[in-house]
Amino acid sequence: MKKALPEYDFQPATLKVLEDSPKKLFINNEWVAAQSGETFETLNPATGAPLAAAALAGAADVDAAVAAAQAAFPAWGSSIAAERAEKLFKLADLIDQHADMLAELETLDNGKPIRVARRGDLPYVTKHLRYQAGWADKIEGSTVPVTFPNQFVYTRREPLGVVAAIIPWNFPLLMAIWKLGPALAAGNTLILKPAEQTPLSALYLADLIREAGFPPGVVNILTGPGEPTGAALAAHPGIAKVAFTGSTAVGAKIMAAAAASNLKRVSLELGGKSPNVIFADADMASAVRGAQWAVFSTAGQECVAGTRLFVERAAYDQVVDGLKQNVEKMVVDHGFAEKVHVGPLISQAQMERVQGYIDQGQQAGAEIVAGGGRVGEQGYFLQPTIFAYQDDTLKLVQEEIFGPVVAVTAFDSEDELIARANDTQYGLAAGVWTRDVGKAHRYAHAVQAGTVWINGYGMIDPAAPFGGYKMSGFGREMGKEAIDLYTQVKTVWVNTQ
Ligand code: ADP
C-alpha cells in the first residue's frame, strides 16, 4: 500500500511494516488470519488518512489464543526462572536493536513527537523489561511459624495461568511491556490485545518474541477493537487474569465480565484528574514549567496528566501569566516535524470530545486564558488550552478530558486545598511545588492518590510502584508489587512427625 507519509527519513523496516499490513494474528508463534477473515483499518492521527490495517480477532480467535496459552502454561509456569529471565533479557536486547523503527511506528500510530518516542517510550520499554526480568529468579515464598508443634509450613508464589493484557493507545509498546514483563517473569502465559488505534508496535514485537526464543503459545497477540475482541477476553473462562489499562468506564465493564465468567483476577489502571499544587513559596520557574509539561507533553493524553492546577492565591497571577506565556510558545504539529512540542489527538472522536469540554466549560462560566481551538484542518490537532475557574463542580474540573486542557484555580489555605484536591472520583497521581518540606509532606500524605511528586511531575520508574486510589483503579504495576499482581500464594503444610 502506498501511504501519504510526512517528509522523513524513515527506516526501511518501518515502511515494510506498512507495506505488509494487514498483519495477521499471532497465535502459537504463528501468523494466522482471523477466522472470519475480517480486518480493520487504522488512521494516521496527523492526517486522518488510512495508515494500516490489522486482522480483527473474534470470539473464535480468542478461543484459539486461550487454547494455545493454556497448552503452553504447564511447561512455562514450571520452567527454570533464570531461563525465563534470559529470554526476557534477550527480548530487551532485540527491542534495543530495533528501537529506531519501533519509535517511528509509535509516532505513526499514535502521533506523538518522534523525539518523545525515541528518548522517552523506547528506552523506558527496555529498562522496564530488564528490571522485571531481574525479578524472575527472586520470587520467593516464606516459612511460617505456626502454633502446631510438628508442622512445617511454607508458602510458594505461583503464577496464575493465562493472563490477558488489554491496553490503550497512548504508550502502545510501553503499556504492552508493563504487563508482559512481570506476567512472563512470574511464569504466566499471555494474550496481548493492543488498542485498535495503535496495533503496529505490538505486531512487530511478535516477531521479536519469536526470535527471543519464547516457546509457542507463551505470548499471543490479538488485534481488534474493544468489542468484540477485548470483551471476549474479559469474559473468557479460560483466562485467569485480565490486566487492563484504559478508561474507568471500560474498567468497570471488564470487572463485571470477570465476575460473571469465572471471577478471574483483575487489575485496573484507569483514568485520572490529578491535582497539581503550586504554593507561593515554590521555585516559580520550575513549578510553572512543571505544570506546563504535566499536561501538555502528551497533548494531555496521559492518565497522570496534572489537569487540575491549584495555585496559592498570592502566586496565582504570576503562575497564570507564566503558564500562558510558555504555552503560547508551544508548537503544535505532526510528530515528525522538526520542532514540535504537542502532537495530534488520537482520533476525530477524541478531538471532538475534547472540543466539547472546552465549549461546555466556556458556556458554564470558566474563562479561557490560552488556546481553545483547533489547529489546521487536517488531522486531529488542538491548541494547548488553559482555563481559569472557581467552581469545582464544573464538568471540565470533574471529568477526565484526555486532551491538552488544564484548569487553574486559586486556593487560600491548606485545609481548603486538601478538601478540593480530593473532591474527585479519581486518585491516580498528584503534584506539589513548595520549598517548605513539612507542607510538602503534609499534602503528600493527605492527598488521595497512588503517586505524589514533590517539586517534580510525571516521573515513573520500573522500581517505583504505580497505580490508583478510588476510581483510578487498583493493583500496583512496577516495582516488586508488579510481581504480586501476577502470582498467587500457596501455603504448604508438612507433617514432620
Ligand atoms: P481509551 O479511552 O484510552 O481509548 P478504552 O478504555 O476505551 O481507553 O480502551 C482501552 C482498551 O480497552 C483498548 O484496547 C480497547 O480496545 C479495550 N476495550 C474497549 N472496550 C472494551 C470492552 N468492552 N471490553 C474489553 N476491552 C475493551
Side-chain angles (χ1 to χ4, degrees):
M1 262 192 283
K2 187 98 187 96
K3 300 290 173 197
L5 296 177
E7 284 294 309
Y8 188 76
D9 190 14
F10 286 102
Q11 308 267 324
T14 304
L15 300 172
K16 176 129 187 11
V17 167
L18 299 181
E19 249 167 56
D20 288 352
S21 132
K23 192 94 175 172
K24 295 174 174 167
L25 307 171
F26 186 72
I27 300 176
N28 248 332
N29 279 3
E30 305 283 347
W31 291 106
V32 294
Q35 293 188 28
S36 66
E38 273 186 82
T39 61
F40 65 98
E41 214 170 45
T42 66
L43 302 180
N44 180 344
T47 59
L51 177 69
L56 195 161
D61 304 301
V62 168
D63 284 344
V66 171
Q70 280 180 325
F73 176 65
W76 181 252
S78 58
S79 61
I80 291 174
E83 290 174 6
R84 293 200 297 275
E86 232 169 76
K87 291 188 171 54
L88 291 166
F89 283 123
K90 176 84 200 290
L91 181 61
D93 292 345
L94 289 169
I95 293 173
D96 272 344
Q97 284 163 29
H98 294 253
D100 281 347
M101 64 84 57
L102 282 164
E104 288 174 9
L105 288 182
E106 294 295 66
T107 292
L108 281 171
D109 245 1
N110 165 281
K112 66 178 64 190
I114 182 72
R115 192 188 62 252
V116 172
R118 198 172 274 144
R119 295 196 204 149
D121 295 48
L122 261 296
Y124 191 70
V125 161
T126 45
K127 261 206 298 196
H128 184 81
L129 195 49
R130 292 193 174 101
Y131 174 87
Q132 291 296 344
W135 272 116
D137 57 2
K138 296 164 196 73
I139 301 171
E140 297 174 340
S142 59
T143 56
V144 186
V146 293
T147 52
F148 293 82
N150 297 312
Q151 294 285 334
F152 167 54
V153 177
Y154 66 95
T155 63
R156 287 163 52 79
R157 261 200 180 272
E158 299 185 344
L160 301 165
V162 179
V163 171
I166 302 179
I167 59 168
W169 43 260
N170 54 350
F171 298 90
L173 194 60
L174 184 55
M175 292 295 118
I177 293 298
W178 272 22
K179 297 182 172 19
L180 179 147
L184 297 191
N188 301 278
T189 55
L190 185 79
I191 302 171
L192 170 67
K193 192 200 88 60
E196 57 271 36
Q197 298 87 348
T198 54
L200 296 179
S201 56
L203 290 171
Y204 195 82
L205 184 69
D207 283 323
L208 303 184
I209 283 167
R210 191 161 51 182
E211 196 179 334
F214 290 91
V218 170
V219 182
N220 307 276
I221 300 179
L222 299 182
T223 43
E227 310 213 11
T229 320
L233 289 166
H236 202 292
I239 290 177
K241 178 198 164 90
V242 176
F244 174 74
T245 298
S247 61
T248 295
V250 171
K253 283 192 196 173
I254 285 177
M255 234 176 125
S261 50
N262 61 342
L263 284 181
K264 58 175 66 64
R265 277 63 184 137
V266 174
S267 54
L268 301 176
E269 201 265 275
L270 307 174
K273 194 76 192 173
S274 298
N276 189 15
V277 177
I278 301 180
F279 281 101
D281 64 359
D283 168 348
M284 250 346 126
S286 309
V288 169
R289 213 177 322 110
Q292 173 193 1
W293 289 104
V295 182
F296 299 117
S297 55
T298 49
Q301 302 175 109
E302 188 170 7
C303 49
V304 297
T307 47
R308 290 184 299 145
L309 181 60
F310 293 89
V311 186
E312 195 166 13
R313 195 168 303 278
Y316 182 79
D317 289 341
Q318 189 188 354
V319 167
V320 172
D321 290 348
L323 196 57
K324 177 177 159 70
Q325 277 179 29
N326 288 4
V327 158
E328 286 180 342
K329 284 189 215 129
M330 295 183 98
V331 178
V332 181
D333 207 338
H334 68 81
F336 294 98
E338 212 163 298
K339 284 209 167 83
V340 50
H341 301 118
V342 183
L345 298 189
I346 191 69
S347 64
Q348 171 100 21
Q350 184 59 15
M351 181 180 73
E352 285 169 4
R353 228 186 115 249
V354 176
Q355 188 70 60
Y357 276 108
I358 294 173
D359 296 345
Q360 196 271 344
Q362 264 182 303
Q363 280 154 21
E367 176 207 345
I368 289 205
V369 175
R374 189 172 176 186
V375 178
E377 272 157 28
Q378 222 201 8
Y380 316 127
F381 298 93
L382 288 178
Q383 291 175 312
T385 299
I386 306 172
F387 266 104
Y389 76 97
Q390 279 100 43
D391 177 359
D392 290 325
T393 65
L394 291 179
K395 258 172 84 152
L396 175 83
V397 179
Q398 286 296 327
E399 294 182 16
E400 184 177 45
I401 297 177
F402 233 61
V405 181
V406 66
V408 193
T409 190
F411 70 91
D412 292 297
S413 72
E414 280 183 54
D415 286 346
E416 175 204 337
L417 167 69
I418 290 298
R420 293 177 66 196
N422 286 338
D423 179 17
T424 165
Q425 62 177 340
Y426 294 112
L428 191 59
V432 59
W433 301 80
T434 173
R435 288 194 171 98
D436 178 334
V437 71
K439 205 151 56 178
H441 287 280
R442 275 199 299 279
Y443 171 78
H445 296 186
V447 72
Q448 293 160 347
T451 296
V452 185
W453 293 287
I454 297 174
N455 294 330
Y457 202 94
M459 287 78 65
I460 46 172
D461 187 90
F466 176 84
Y469 277 31
K470 303 197 281 189
M471 288 180 79
S472 292
F474 48 82
R476 292 292 175 269
E477 306 198 91
M478 300 194 267
K480 183 168 190 294
E481 314 220 357
I483 296 292
D484 296 346
L485 276 191
Y486 295 96
T487 51
Q488 54 198 341
V489 173
K490 177 179 281 173
T491 305
V492 183
W493 291 69
V494 188
N495 187 344
T496 55
Q497 209 151 31

